[in-house]
Amino acid sequence: MTLFIEQCLNGVQFGLLLFLLAAGLTLVFGIMDLVNLAHGSLYMVGAYFAATLTAWTGSFVLGAVLALVGTLLVGMAVEVIAMRRLYGRDHLDHVLGTFGLILFFDEAVRLIWGPEGLSLPLPSWLNTSVTILPGIQYSAYRLSIIIVALAVAAVLYLLVMRTRVGMLIRAGASNREMVGALGVNIKLLYTLVFGLGAALAGLAGLMQAPILTVQIGMGENILILAFVITVIGGIGSIRGAFIAAILVGFVDTLGRSYLPDILRLVLSPNAAATAAPALSSMLIYLVMAVVLVVRPEGLFPAVRK
Amino acid sequence: MRQTLLAAGTALMLAAGPAIAQQKSIKIGFVSTFSGPVAVIGNDMRNSFELALDHMGRKMAGMPVEVIYEDDGFKPEVGKQKTEKLIEADHVDFIAGYIWSNVLLASLKPVVDSKTFLVIANAGASQVAGELCSPYVFSTSWQNDQTPEAMGMYMNQKGVNSVFLIGPNYAAGKDMLDGVSHTFKGKIVGRELTTWPSQLDFSAELAKAKAANPDAIFVFYPGKAGVQFLAQYAQAGLKGNIPLYTAFTIDETSLPLQKELALGVPGAQEWVNDLPNEANKKFVADYMKKYPGHRPSFYGAQSYDAANLIASAVAAVKGDLSDKEALRKAFERADFKSVRGNFKFGNNHIPIQNFYVQDVVKDASGDYVLKTTATIVKDYQDLSHSKCPMK
Amino acid sequence: MNSALTVRNIVVCALLVALALLPAYVKITGNIFVLTLFTRIVILGLAAVSLNLMLGFGGMMSFGHAAYLGIGGYAVGILAHEGIYSGLVQWPVALLASAVFALVVGALSLRTRGVYFIMITLAFAQMAYYIIAGLARYGGDDGLTIYKRSQFLAPLDLTNKVQFYYVCVALLFGAIYLVHRLVNSRFGLVVQGSRSNDLRMRAIGFPTYRYRLTCFVIAGTLGGLAGALIANNTDFVSPSMMYWTRSGDLIIMVVLGGMGSVVGPLIGAVALLVLEELLSGITEYWQIILGPLLLLVVLFARGGIDGLLSQIRARVAA
């Protein structure tokens, strides 16, 4: 039972991390109709900045905040220099152009930081475990990820639903020409939205860094998951991204955890041990394929185009 | 890096004056991982190989040595490509290196097909010690089963009755976990393989281990994964509750990051930095002098031995590399001073060697270092040697 | 004055002739590595040409083409592992397996369009990747070494580098010819028309779904052929052959070379791989140039190298 609760928490934590990544992606996709494969690169940049700045300032929190600012700036720069020219073009153009950006970012990171990757050690006050329920210990750091991500989700919700900027964002997703015609500086809006997405990606990158990794190409594996979440949730919908992300986080974590045992009932232990991770990775794509066939606009589509 | 080495090698070649009839220089290809978090291992191997070359005046049998280092990027297909390039485009005389068993297995065919001598400085795929053994392939490391088998013996000695096994899902990972079960007399209550190398989050497996409540957990996670595992093991509240026994998880490359997390966690190894023979003392001392702030790990020790092994074979044939049969015999004699003390090969070209327990202690200056605390077994030969048809 | 002797045509002819005569060059210079390199280029050229059939002509933006290469390769690998070495069994199985996979993926994906099509083809390719990576018997993530290449009737011996090269070149030329004929046939015109305006084609009365699916399957099958060749070339298959970034690499070749023509992708494959080989000798950071270059090609040179070459004619003629 304890195991199950822990795994559920792990699933939620992973899902929330994915949400941060997917939120930016779905925003950019929904509002600017831009397929951005380089989103994973911003995730990587966030992690690298955090590792370097934490080592430099000696403080984890300060390093993280500065890294966020850095990623925001990089995101806005990328939007101004490269993305602007891609708006309105075919999705194929987006895919290719941003694929090129992935190559560029991977090499640039290698040039600046070397091929070995970095590490981001946890400060001692986070590197402990907390008793959340009698008899159940959980990693303090993972708990803090859950709290921070939920807070960010709440802020995002308030931003999009309750502020003027949020209203402009939603309007822009609905009908960008109209918003431009009404005199809103659509260019600035786009830059800000892209920057916001970049910052969210960077946050996800730096938060997973102490538990997972800071290395070149780290965005590529998780980018696919982010896209899957975007599609399942519905393009342009933050609410959809949230729910889809939690779903995916659960499926992946619980799948990895319990599938080997389930498989061992039918296969030999060795075969089960190798097939299980494969199957659990596949599960997510199966879910997406099912959603696409049954409800192609996604579970919570934002707007009609 | 490669450019500088090539330039240096060429300069040496020109400076060497009139060359010996068939060979002008000795070309060695070294395949390892120099990118990503595990690059620290590749660098240790390269540093040690270079140190060995320095110690022999960068000459073997009077001929200058040129080394071409290639990065396998931790991917079997890349390692294979680089190996082929070394053989076909660079025409190397010897190939050495290989951290990972899967990269080695993928790269084996081009090496054996081209009859190039290979000295494996780490990877210990059991197939290479058994049915895939070859007259051209030698190892200065071990067979994957040996080290965990030694740890299994140690756990028996310590009275451990049940163990939960965790390791990565690739050739070596499976070998390691299997190895423990060869010698461990108690009960194996769980065996979890994780996706390798992408999975660095062990929360699921640690949770399962906790739930199974074994006497001990055995783990194998080389490189960065070892750092992550120890951190998560502590975060999950297991440290001090369920003891951890390891193979290849704590070494001089990961210890600087693991620090106090590694205290009290024993590992089995065929080489520890404080082995009391002359060659080893020189190796460790000169390594720390040449690379201040770093200590050599067993990966490095194995690479150092590899360089010396090649040198001994080249010296035995007096630089005439065309006689493959004579070279093979020279390799088999292994007439060099190993940092392990006595060194001899089994019929499958895998070393027959001692295994020790290494523990982590804090030394006088406050650094975390590894120390030999016991010898688990002496002159231990791997179990696959009977599967190898060579005599 | 519609001369066929345009700059672009001359370059293409020269390329094809050069590929055909490469072994002679290798024999003279003794540089075997060039043969190894170009065998790889020819095979990937075949893969790119097959992708272009569905991507450039069919307008079907599949991000899962590497799956067919993987399936074809693993068909050969798995059969070899089980002791079946005859190419006459392995290769048809490879083609059939890819065709079946393409049929299933196409049937489900072609109901969608645009980015959803991209995602669903990607999803299926990743699923195939994970299934293959989960086959412990065949190496899983570590890959599978192939100890004996596909055996055909003597004197055809695929272990002979020159012979193998010619087999690849012959299949490449064959594929180019096949695609050329398809594209210029009624079938091809319907597919291209469907790419431009599917609604109109259907209004005229064409069952476009069937045509596009057929095109998809043919392209996938040719991809499987390329996979079988890769397996023989590297004597090794691994799931990473099918990872989504490999599909991306193929798309780059197609776009760089030029999507509008049959030979364009081959030009792209040659350009990209030769460039990679040359640049990596100069600097290990060559991808930092390739990345933005790709972006520039997308923005300004949509027709790829082939398009640029064709434009030279236009300017010279004027």
Side-chain angles (χ1 to χ4, degrees), chain B residues 239 250 255 259-265 359-362 368:
Chain B
K239 198 163 168 67
I250 303 175
L255 195 50
K259 298 199 250 233
E260 69 277 2
L261 293 169
L263 279 174
V265 181
D359 249 321
V360 179
V361 296
K362 224 169 165 178
Y368 294 95

Side-chain angles (χ1 to χ4, degrees), chain A residues 99-187:
Chain A
F99 196 85
L101 281 176
I102 295 181
L103 297 177
F104 171 76
F105 272 111
D106 277 351
E107 282 311 299
V109 165
R110 199 151 81 93
L111 199 62
I112 301 173
W113 280 282
E116 298 167 5
L118 299 174
S119 62
L120 179 53
L122 277 178
S124 45
W125 54 276
L126 276 174
N127 198 5
T128 125
S129 54
V130 168
T131 316
I132 42 169
L133 286 176
I136 304 181
Q137 300 261 62
Y138 196 62
S139 157
Y141 185 63
R142 286 176 191 268
L143 204 57
S144 65
I145 293 181
I146 295 180
I147 296 172
V148 170
L150 281 174
V152 169
V155 167
L156 206 57
Y157 177 75
L158 287 173
L159 178 75
V160 170
M161 289 297 167
R162 301 259 190 268
T163 65
R164 224 180 92 90
V165 176
M167 189 173 64
L168 286 173
I169 290 178
R170 279 180 287 137
S174 227
N175 192 331
R176 69 178 68 88
E177 284 92 18
M178 185 60 87
V179 175
L182 288 171
V184 175
N185 188 346
I186 205 86
K187 272 196 183 167

Side-chain angles (χ1 to χ4, degrees), chain A residues 71-254:
Chain A
T71 317
L72 176 74
L73 292 172
V74 168
M76 296 206 294
V78 167
E79 197 273 343
V80 170
I81 300 173
M83 298 303 178
R84 281 217 176 145
R85 296 159 222 287
L86 288 174
Y87 296 141
R89 300 184 85 144
D90 198 40
H91 283 156
L92 173 59
D93 288 357
H94 297 171
V95 165
L96 294 167
T98 52
F99 196 85
L101 281 176
I102 295 181
L103 297 177
F104 171 76
F105 272 111
D106 277 351
E107 282 311 299
V109 165
R110 199 151 81 93
L111 199 62
I112 301 173
W113 280 282
E116 298 167 5
L118 299 174
S119 62
L120 179 53
L122 277 178
S124 45
W125 54 276
L126 276 174
N127 198 5
T128 125
S129 54
V130 168
T131 316
I132 42 169
L133 286 176
I136 304 181
Q137 300 261 62
Y138 196 62
S139 157
Y141 185 63
R142 286 176 191 268
L143 204 57
S144 65
I145 293 181
I146 295 180
I147 296 172
V148 170
L150 281 174
V152 169
V155 167
L156 206 57
Y157 177 75
L158 287 173
L159 178 75
V160 170
M161 289 297 167
R162 301 259 190 268
T163 65
R164 224 180 92 90
V165 176
M167 189 173 64
L168 286 173
I169 290 178
R170 279 180 287 137
S174 227
N175 192 331
R176 69 178 68 88
E177 284 92 18
M178 185 60 87
V179 175
L182 288 171
V184 175
N185 188 346
I186 205 86
K187 272 196 183 167
L188 182 61
L189 184 67
Y190 282 4
T191 310
L192 286 175
V193 169
F194 195 86
L196 176 65
L200 287 171
L203 180 62
L206 75 90
M207 288 215 289
Q208 61 79 52
I211 352 176
L212 290 179
T213 181
V214 180
Q215 65 182 91
I216 299 170
M218 60 190 263
E220 270 134 55
N221 289 327
I222 208 163
L223 180 71
I224 292 293
L225 286 182
F227 266 107
V228 168
I229 289 170
T230 308
V231 169
I232 294 178
I235 294 177
S237 161
I238 298 207
R239 184 169 40 137
F242 186 80
I243 299 186
I246 303 285
L247 177 68
V248 167
F250 259 104
V251 167
D252 184 70
T253 309
L254 291 176

Side-chain angles (χ1 to χ4, degrees), chain C residues 127-142:
Chain C
M127 279 196 258
Y129 167 81
Y130 284 116
I131 291 179
I132 301 249
L135 295 175
R137 188 178 164 77
Y138 302 116
D141 257 316
D142 295 339

Side-chain angles (χ1 to χ4, degrees), chain C residues 84-244:
Chain C
I84 303 174
Y85 301 111
S86 167
L88 295 169
V89 174
Q90 291 175 339
W91 290 28
V93 169
L95 293 174
L96 190 64
S98 329
V100 167
F101 189 70
L103 186 62
V104 170
V105 174
L108 291 170
S109 319
L110 282 169
R111 304 256 177 227
T112 64
R113 272 264 186 193
V115 72
Y116 297 106
F117 181 79
I118 301 176
M119 290 305 300
I120 207 171
T121 52
L122 177 63
F124 276 113
Q126 286 293 92
M127 279 196 258
Y129 167 81
Y130 284 116
I131 291 179
I132 301 249
L135 295 175
R137 188 178 164 77
Y138 302 116
D141 257 316
D142 295 339
L144 188 62
T145 300
I146 298 175
Y147 290 99
K148 245 173 146 177
R149 290 195 179 177
S150 306
Q151 309 278 315
F152 289 94
L153 304 161
L156 185 57
D157 174 21
L158 292 188
T159 54
N160 178 317
K161 276 185 182 280
V162 175
Q163 279 195 41
F164 183 62
Y165 176 77
Y166 273 125
V167 167
C168 297
V169 168
L171 288 170
L172 170 68
F173 285 2
I176 291 178
Y177 180 68
L178 174 67
V179 172
H180 174 81
R181 288 300 300 266
L182 271 174
V183 159
N184 290 315
S185 69
R186 199 182 89 125
F187 169 83
L189 290 173
V190 172
V191 169
Q192 289 177 79
S194 179
R195 181 190 86 226
S196 305
N197 194 328
D198 191 54
L199 204 54
R200 192 189 302 164
M201 291 304 286
R202 276 188 285 139
I204 299 177
F206 288 108
T208 58
Y209 175 77
R210 253 183 268 165
Y211 279 83
R212 296 169 76 220
L213 182 59
T214 312
C215 177
F216 194 88
V217 171
I218 296 176
T221 314
L222 284 174
L225 179 63
L229 289 175
I230 292 178
N232 275 286
N233 189 32
T234 54
D235 301 310
F236 180 74
V237 284
S238 88
S240 64
M241 279 165 78
M242 307 163 73
Y243 200 60
W244 73 273

Side-chain angles (χ1 to χ4, degrees), chain B residues 61-330:
Chain B
M63 290 183 279
V65 179
E66 181 195 334
V67 187
I68 304 176
Y69 294 94
E70 288 291 356
D71 180 9
D72 61 24
F74 208 164
K75 296 190 176 109
E77 64 278 3
V78 177
K80 179 186 209 292
Q81 245 182 299
K82 295 289 168 83
T83 307
E84 283 173 328
K85 178 193 155 293
L86 285 169
I87 296 175
E88 284 175 19
D90 299 312
H91 304 294
V92 294
D93 301 307
F94 301 100
I95 295 213
Y98 299 97
I99 305 176
W100 315 105
S101 296
N102 52 358
V103 176
L104 173 68
L105 286 171
S107 313
L108 197 58
K109 189 164 188 288
V111 170
V112 172
D113 283 353
S114 62
K115 298 194 176 42
T116 312
F117 281 96
L118 165 66
V119 180
I120 306 171
N122 192 65
S126 49
Q127 301 94 316
V128 176
E131 60 273 19
L132 290 179
C133 69
S134 154
Y136 300 99
V137 177
F138 293 83
S139 163
T140 52
S141 57
W142 18 257
Q143 196 260 70
N144 281 338
D145 288 356
Q146 288 183 292
T147 318
E149 280 165 1
M151 186 40 94
M153 291 182 216
Y154 183 65
M155 289 198 289
N156 290 338
Q157 290 168 17
K158 282 273 159 186
V160 174
N161 286 322
S162 60
V163 74
F164 193 97
L165 308 172
I166 309 180
N169 189 8
Y170 79 115
K174 294 180 223 175
D175 280 349
M176 293 292 159
L177 300 189
D178 287 342
V180 174
S181 47
H182 290 163
T183 53
F184 181 63
K185 297 209 177 73
K187 191 161 174 276
I188 297 178
V189 295
R191 183 192 143 109
E192 291 294 317
L193 289 168
T194 58
T195 312
W196 179 255
S198 52
Q199 182 184 343
L200 289 170
D201 179 356
F202 307 109
S203 51
E205 290 74 21
L206 283 168
K208 279 199 173 152
K210 218 202 275 189
N213 203 22
D215 281 348
I217 300 177
F218 171 83
V219 82
F220 161 70
Y221 278 111
K224 179 118 188 258
V227 179
Q228 297 295 37
F229 187 87
L230 283 189
Q232 291 171 28
Y233 165 74
Q235 280 170 21
L238 286 166
K239 198 163 168 67
N241 287 328
I242 305 181
L244 195 59
Y245 290 85
T246 68
F248 303 109
T249 306
I250 303 175
D251 56 68
E252 284 83 349
T253 60
S254 60
L255 195 50
L257 292 169
Q258 289 160 331
K259 298 199 250 233
E260 69 277 2
L261 293 169
L263 279 174
V265 181
Q269 209 61 268
E270 91 288 6
W271 174 90
V272 194
N273 61 75
D274 54 1
L275 288 179
N277 63 72
E278 281 311 310
N280 194 34
K281 290 191 186 141
K282 181 167 185 216
F283 167 57
V284 176
D286 284 356
Y287 188 99
M288 289 173 65
K289 232 187 286 172
K290 188 171 180 195
Y291 308 105
H294 290 97
R295 288 170 179 276
S297 67
F298 64 89
Y299 299 103
Q302 287 152 195
S303 308
Y304 187 85
D305 273 354
N308 283 314
L309 174 66
I310 297 176
S312 75
V314 172
V317 295
K318 298 198 189 3
D320 179 8
L321 302 182
S322 58
D323 189 349
K324 302 261 178 191
E325 198 39 40
L327 256 180
R328 182 182 65 80
K329 293 211 179 78

Side-chain angles (χ1 to χ4, degrees), chain C residues 284-302:
Chain C
E284 36 177 324
Y285 301 110
W286 57 278
Q287 286 199 319
I288 218 174
I289 305 168
L290 180 64
L293 180 68
L294 194 61
L295 183 57
L296 290 173
V297 166
V298 165
L299 291 175
F300 302 116
R302 263 308 234 107

